[in-house]
Amino acid sequence: AIGQGDRHLLAMAELACERGVWDRCINTSERTREVWSLAQRYPMPHGDVLKARAQEAGLDPATVFGLVRQESRFQADAQSYVGATGLMQLMPYTAIRLSKLFDDSEFKLDQLQVADTNITYGSLYLSLLLHYYGGHEIPAVAAYNAGPNIVNKWLRECQDCPNDAFVEFIPYAETRNY
């Protein structure tokens, strides 16, 4: 039988999901022990836009869904303590560089709060990182989170490491847990 605590948590998570408070939907659902809801733990808000932008950037939508879930828990207005913004937690400097690279003279930083713009720019950035790292997802995703300069340093320090050893070598817990 499902414990009373799990029933309560699932109900609270469902309420958060219904209200579009995705971080609380996921976080509350993850606290259940005996039973869980995949729909609550892995929701797909902004699904059509996310799939379309990922495919336009040549990415697997599942990778982008996973990145958005990890970065912002699907909160379009998310702000990190270092200044990353939106669903895909883009740094303002990165977004400005991308707007210049893709000749988007209409781009303004406040557009990073708009799901479509944030997903577009975040997907393009991840695509560039994948290209830079020769299609290898582990350093590309690590660089998305920690920055390419630091990931390049880690790669130099862990040359010829198999993927699992490289992941364990990453000193940033947030990046390592991706």
Side-chain angles (χ1 to χ4, degrees), residues 12-13 16-17 21-30 73 75:
M12 294 301 100
C17 293
V21 186
W22 302 110
D23 58 337
R24 296 201 189 82
C25 169
I26 295 166
N27 295 344
T28 303
S29 184
E30 285 182 336
R73 300 287 193 176
Q75 293 304 116

Side-chain angles (χ1 to χ4, degrees), residues 101-173:
L101 180 64
F102 292 100
D103 199 27
D104 183 359
S105 60
E106 303 292 315
F107 176 76
K108 303 282 185 263
L109 280 176
D110 63 345
Q111 291 174 298
L112 289 178
Q113 296 292 323
V114 176
D116 194 353
T117 302
N118 195 281
I119 294 168
T120 298
Y121 273 58
S123 295
L124 289 170
Y125 184 49
L126 181 57
S127 180
L128 290 172
L129 289 169
L130 271 168
H131 179 75
Y132 177 79
Y133 289 105
H136 299 284
E137 281 189 340
I138 291 172
V141 171
Y144 190 97
N145 181 256
N149 290 336
I150 193 72
V151 170
N152 290 341
K153 177 182 177 277
W154 297 337
L155 287 168
R156 286 191 302 275
E157 292 171 353
C158 196
Q159 284 183 334
D160 302 320
C161 288
N163 286 337
D164 57 349
F166 175 72
V167 169
E168 292 306 316
F169 179 82
I170 295 172
Y172 298 177

Side-chain angles (χ1 to χ4, degrees), residues 23-89:
D23 58 337
R24 296 201 189 82
C25 169
I26 295 166
N27 295 344
T28 303
S29 184
E30 285 182 336
R31 292 174 43 213
T32 62
R33 296 289 172 240
E34 296 175 31
V35 69
W36 54 87
S37 166
L38 289 177
Q40 290 176 353
R41 288 187 182 200
Y42 300 97
M44 297 176 65
H46 314 287
D48 292 339
V49 171
L50 200 146
K51 287 177 192 173
R53 299 303 168 261
Q55 290 170 339
E56 289 167 7
L59 301 171
D60 180 351
T63 300
V64 179
F65 268 107
L67 192 141
V68 172
R69 183 183 185 277
Q70 190 69 20
E71 287 285 347
S72 69
R73 300 287 193 176
F74 299 99
Q75 293 304 116
D77 61 351
Q79 286 285 129
S80 77
Y81 68 93
V82 295
T85 300
L87 288 166
M88 294 189 75
Q89 289 291 279

